[in-house]
Amino acid sequence: MLDQGAPPHHRTQTAPPSPGPGARLMRRKPVEHLVAEGGRGEGGSLRRSLGLWQLTMISIGATLGTGIFVVLGEAVPKAGPAVTLSFVIAGLTALFSALSYAELAGTIPVAGSSYSYAYATMGELIAWICGWCLVLEYGVSVAAVAVGWGEYLNELLDGTIGVTIPDALSAPPGDGGVFNLPALIVVLLAMAFLLGGARESARANTIMVVVKIAALVLFCAIGIQGFRSGNYEHFMPLGMAGVSAAGATLFFSYIGFDAASTAGEEAKNAQRDLPRAIMLSLVIVTALYVLVAAVAVGAKPWKRFGDSEAALAQIMREVTGQTFWGTLLAACAVVAIASVVLTVLYGQTRILFAMSRDGLVPKVFAKVDPQTGTPRANTLIVSLFCGVLAAAVPLGQLADATSIGTLFAFGLVNIAVVVLRRTRPDMPRTFRVPLSPVLPILGLAFCVWMMGSLSTVTWVVFGVWMAVGLVFYFVYGYRRSRLAPSEMK
């Protein structure tokens, strides 16, 4: 307020009041700012080198793997032959969320995935919660996938040279071992590829994706020969509760499709290609999952699925009476699951890159090596953390923890689509969710329903994880956020 009667040099001006704590928690990052700073990090920039083909392969590579090669063996005892229905339910849940991801990826093509979408629509605190869930989703799923890789490596070694890695070195504590060395090794191998650059990693991933698709087609061609209709006589022995419980576990199999959205700052034409890559990959993956699950249950009684995590290789051996085919599938699975580790680890590093650039996590995660165009320190830290986690924690606990973090983040993405439609209706969109807001609301409802099907232990773990995340935010991120009050919208 100015004193009109005083000389100009004596006039006083009252500074505008600082936003209160509640307003700071709700400050949003404008979409234009998110897009404008795309690719920029500390000391360098990410390189735009990925086209539609590479983005689709990243999405398939992150999705198609442990869910069908390993987690199927854990899901069948929960649902019986109706596990095929569980895959469909999990796929529908993923589809609704994928539609929302496709719209937001084409509108806000940045590395942070749903974290960035939440920042632009619902404010900093919700964005942090979403990002913290993504850390759980991606980081823990890398560890879970790596555990499954070790199972198939042992199958391969047994079928080729007749030896296996001792339990003490191939299983974590609680599963009869001391340290899961293979799980650590595959994470370190993925780290080596990622340090070479996004383009080089994408090439390696494409080769591995082709191998895994060929392996699953081969399984169906051989497994169908052992198909017995009697295995489907009691289709839903554990009721709908079993189907939904298996679906919640199997949702872990679909989490990778959003990995393409984390490549938004390294895509050549992100607004055009990201929505296409997300939808195309989900259709391909869902079709393969349902087909493989139907053949697997038809070839092996459902009560016998709990005896091994390498279930598909066992079915191949039982159907043919030969070890060759099972060994071949195990070899393909070793390659296939390695690609999941590679692409999901990639997604984790890019999400932390975006969060670091916003000041919510230490800036070391946003440092980019000018020679390779990759966040080297970020990749090293995340890889070592995930490798140790994979070596020390059993697969089942990891898979369920990943599912609940993913479902929570997906639910927020469905909300973000509706919010952005209302707050920025005129913003250019290369893809639009049909029947909005009906389908996003259905996506949110499916996510909530499947979260309710998870165990109490999983919810406790999730609650502890979220509590730790909120403490970290208020101690570190809240004070160091780079979003100035003037940018609040």
Side-chain angles (χ1 to χ4, degrees):
M1 179 177 180
L2 296 177
D3 182 358
Q4 300 296 334
H9 62 280
H10 286 151
R11 291 176 184 173
T12 59
Q13 184 174 6
T14 302
S18 300
R24 292 185 65 183
L25 294 176
M26 297 302 293
R27 56 192 173 189
R28 289 177 285 171
K29 190 170 185 178
V31 173
E32 291 77 10
H33 289 203
L34 282 166
V35 176
E37 68 183 12
R40 293 185 305 195
E42 297 283 340
S45 298
L46 302 176
R47 296 174 181 172
R48 293 192 178 274
S49 59
L50 305 177
L52 175 61
W53 173 253
Q54 290 93 340
L55 292 170
T56 304
M57 291 299 103
I58 286 174
S59 189
I60 294 176
T63 310
L64 189 62
T66 303
I68 195 66
F69 282 103
V70 179
V71 178
L72 177 66
E74 296 191 2
V76 172
K78 296 180 180 179
V83 71
T84 52
L85 183 58
S86 299
F87 267 114
V88 172
I89 292 173
L92 281 174
T93 304
L95 174 61
F96 291 132
S97 297
L99 291 169
S100 295
Y101 260 100
E103 177 170 327
L104 293 174
T107 308
I108 314 173
V110 293
S113 185
S114 52
Y115 155 75
S116 295
Y117 309 153
Y119 214 161
T121 57
M122 290 176 279
E124 187 171 283
L125 178 60
I126 301 299
W128 168 263
I129 291 172
C130 186
W132 194 243
C133 286
L134 290 175
V135 171
L136 179 66
E137 171 191 343
Y138 280 86
V140 178
S141 66
V142 168
V145 171
V147 173
W149 185 82
E151 292 287 331
Y152 274 96
L153 179 63
N154 258 340
E155 288 282 336
L156 177 60
L157 292 175
D158 185 39
T160 52
I161 60 177
V163 299
T164 59
I165 302 172
D167 288 346
L169 295 177
S170 63
D175 274 3
V178 176
F179 192 79
N180 194 330
L181 182 61
L184 175 61
I185 289 173
V186 71
V187 174
L188 295 181
L189 289 173
M191 178 188 74
F193 276 111
L194 291 176
L195 291 175
R199 179 185 296 176
E200 292 73 14
S201 301
R203 287 174 181 168
N205 173 66
T206 298
I207 295 171
M208 291 188 280
V209 168
V210 171
V211 169
K212 75 168 88 177
I213 291 176
L216 291 175
V217 172
L218 175 65
F219 169 80
C220 292
I222 293 178
I224 196 71
Q225 300 175 30
F227 192 90
R228 300 289 183 272
S229 59
N231 289 338
Y232 277 93
E233 284 184 359
H234 302 287
F235 182 70
M236 201 181 294
L238 302 173
M240 196 62 199
V243 173
S244 62
T249 296
L250 289 171
F251 192 77
F252 170 78
S253 310
Y254 288 92
I255 67 168
F257 75 80
D258 62 328
S261 68
T262 66
E265 296 176 27
E266 290 161 284
K268 296 176 183 178
N269 191 339
Q271 291 182 311
R272 182 195 67 187
D273 292 340
L274 285 178
R276 296 179 181 181
I278 290 171
M279 299 309 301
L280 182 59
S281 63
L282 185 63
V283 169
I284 293 172
V285 166
T286 301
L288 280 171
Y289 277 166
V290 174
L291 181 61
V292 171
V295 171
V297 175
K300 183 175 182 176
W302 70 272
K303 292 183 179 180
R304 292 176 50 211
F305 269 81
D307 57 358
S308 172
E309 290 177 341
L312 299 189
Q314 282 193 351
I315 291 173
M316 293 276 274
R317 286 200 302 268
E318 292 172 3
V319 169
T320 62
Q322 302 174 10
T323 60
F324 170 78
W325 294 107
T327 302
L328 178 62
L329 185 74
C332 293
V334 167
V335 175
I337 297 174
S339 76
V340 182
V341 175
L342 174 66
T343 48
V344 175
L345 191 63
Y346 166 86
Q348 174 68 99
T349 59
R350 271 44 180 186
I351 289 165
L352 284 171
F353 172 85
M355 296 177 72
S356 175
R357 187 169 56 195
D358 292 332
L360 301 185
V361 298
K363 64 181 181 180
V364 66
F365 291 100
K367 289 184 178 179
V368 176
D369 183 90
Q371 293 184 337
T372 62
T374 61
R376 290 181 64 87
N378 180 343
T379 303
L380 286 167
I381 294 169
V382 171
S383 299
L384 292 175
F385 172 79
C386 292
V388 172
L389 191 66
V393 183
L395 172 64
Q397 296 175 22
L398 290 171
D400 283 349
T402 301
S403 291
I404 195 168
T406 304
L407 287 163
F408 190 90
F410 282 12
L412 291 179
V413 169
N414 286 295
I415 296 173
V417 165
V418 177
V419 172
L420 197 61
R421 286 279 190 100
R422 292 180 64 87
T423 58
R424 302 292 300 274
D426 299 327
M427 180 175 291
R429 290 168 169 83
T430 56
F431 177 86
R432 286 178 173 268
V433 178
L435 302 177
S436 180
V438 175
L439 292 189
I441 291 174
L442 282 174
L444 174 63
F446 267 81
C447 289
V448 171
W449 174 51
M450 296 195 75
M451 288 177 72
S453 299
L454 292 168
S455 67
T456 302
V457 173
T458 302
W459 274 97
V460 170
V461 171
F462 181 66
V464 171
W465 176 260
M466 294 307 299
V468 171
L470 289 173
V471 169
F472 186 92
Y473 170 72
F474 284 109
V475 170
Y476 184 92
Y478 178 78
R479 302 177 185 278
R480 296 175 182 264
S481 171
R482 293 179 182 175
L483 191 59
S486 62
E487 294 179 305
M488 292 173 57
K489 301 293 179 182

